[in-house]
């Protein structure tokens, strides 16, 4: 069964450094998403992306965050200047469509640790 | 702001019993409802989706939706130790994002 794949599985970064998290969505999916989950807390929506542009973003997704689809397969999340509170699991998800009964399928996540 | 509330748990059930999980949501415009299972340190895994009022069964899982009461539930029949996990209720409206509840942790005792 097709999967969403994410790399790396664990990223350790010094505060203030830039980090790029990578995702390969399921190949016939058109909508891509980033979520994060701080340890012990809810899964929170960050951003959705369709047709090479952001379709929706949350208040968390401030100017320090950006997303890009640099080629036909990868979808990346960049955090420009990381803060301690950015430490979390980051999940990429994808879906065929955004409406109706189209579930979002999640990757295994990247654990981001900011020191 | 969509709010999704789940019974706090943890929920402990003996092997072979029925586990019952509840979820309420605040946005009446919500259209799609999902149950995800999350093992500790892992990603959410889709186990059920439901869009219409009533029951939907898939193997040992049954999802129930009541839009008038803004309530969705998940029943796990014949619970197995491998069902021990946190179950996340997720709700979606006309926008793009899923709104998640905090999850209910289920422990199945052998």
């Amino acid at each position: 069964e097709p999967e969403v794949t994410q790399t790396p599985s664990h990223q350790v970064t010094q505060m203030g450094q830039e980090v790029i998290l990578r995702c390969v969505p399921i190949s016939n999916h058109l909508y891509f998403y980033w979520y994060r989950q701080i340890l012990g807390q809810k899964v929170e929506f960050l951003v959705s992306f369709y047709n090479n542009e952001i379709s929706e973003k949350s208040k968390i997704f401030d100017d320090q965050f950006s997303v890009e689809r640099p080629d036909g397969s990868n979808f990346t999340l960049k955090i420009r200047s990381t803060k301690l509170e950015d430490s979390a699991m980051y999940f990429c998800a994808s879906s065929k469509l955004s409406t109706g009964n189209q579930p979002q399928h999640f990757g295994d996540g990247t654990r981001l640790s900011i020191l | 702001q969509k709010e999704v509330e789940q019974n706090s748990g943890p929920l402990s059930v003996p092997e072979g019993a029925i586990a019952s999980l509840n979820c309420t949501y605040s946005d009446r415009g919500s259209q799609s409802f999902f149950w995800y299972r999350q093992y500790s340190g892992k990603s959410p895994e889709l186990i059920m989706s439901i869009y219409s009022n009533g029951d939907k069964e898939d193997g040992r899982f049954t999802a129930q939706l009541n839009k008038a009461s803004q309530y969705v539930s998940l029943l796990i029949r014949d619970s197995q130790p491998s069902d021990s996990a946190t179950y996340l209720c997720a709700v979606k409206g006309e926008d793009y994002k899923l709104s998640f509840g905090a999850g209910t942790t289920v422990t199945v005792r052998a």
Side-chain angles (χ1 to χ4, degrees), chain A residues 65-103:
Chain A
F65 290 87
S66 62
V67 289
E68 190 179 32
R69 188 157 165 81
D71 53 43
S73 59
N74 289 285
F75 177 51
T76 62
L77 173 69
K78 182 193 290 187
I79 309 175
R80 287 190 235 303
S81 178
T82 50
K83 303 188 281 284
L84 293 175
E85 53 264 38
D86 294 327
S87 295
M89 281 289 285
Y90 287 80
F91 296 111
C92 175
S94 69
S95 63
K96 284 185 183 178
L97 299 172
S98 71
T99 56
N101 55 351
Q102 293 296 322

Side-chain angles (χ1 to χ4, degrees), chain A residues 31 33 35 37 42-43 45 48 55-56 91 98-101 103-104 106-108 111, chain B residues 3-4 32 34 36 38 41-44 46 51 88 92 95-98 100-102:
Chain A
Y31 290 81
Y33 313 85
Y35 291 82
Q37 187 176 29
K42 291 183 183 184
V43 176
F45 169 79
S48 61
S55 44
E56 186 180 2
F91 296 111
S98 71
T99 56
N101 55 351
Q104 296 177 19
F106 284 71
D108 287 341
R111 181 172 301 281
Chain B
E3 296 294 332
V4 179
S32 308
F34 306 91
Y36 287 83
Q38 187 176 34
K42 302 296 185 182
S43 64
L46 180 71
Y51 316 103
L88 308 178
K92 187 176 173 304
D95 53 11
Y96 298 90
K97 66 177 182 282
L98 289 174
F100 283 85

Side-chain angles (χ1 to χ4, degrees), chain A residues 1 11 31 47 78 87-88 101 105 107 115:
Chain A
E1 187 169 326
Q11 174 82 45
Y31 290 81
V47 66
K78 182 193 290 187
S87 295
N101 55 351
H105 296 272
L115 304 180

Side-chain angles (χ1 to χ4, degrees), chain B residues 49-101:
Chain B
S49 58
I50 188 166
Y51 316 103
S52 304
N53 281 328
D55 295 359
K56 180 181 177 183
E57 187 174 316
D58 184 359
R60 296 185 295 108
F61 299 98
T62 299
Q64 299 172 317
L65 175 61
N66 183 325
K67 289 186 178 179
S69 301
Q70 295 176 238
Y71 172 90
V72 59
S73 67
L74 180 71
L75 299 177
I76 308 173
R77 289 184 303 282
D78 188 23
S79 295
Q80 302 297 308
S82 59
D83 295 327
S84 297
T86 296
Y87 290 81
L88 308 178
C89 174
V91 173
K92 187 176 173 304
E94 292 186 358
D95 53 11
Y96 298 90
K97 66 177 182 282
L98 289 174
S99 297
F100 283 85

Side-chain angles (χ1 to χ4, degrees), chain A residues 53-65:
Chain A
E53 59 182 30
I54 290 173
S55 44
E56 186 180 2
K57 61 182 181 180
S58 71
K59 292 178 184 176
I60 302 168
F61 194 88
D62 62 21
D63 292 344
Q64 294 300 310
F65 290 87

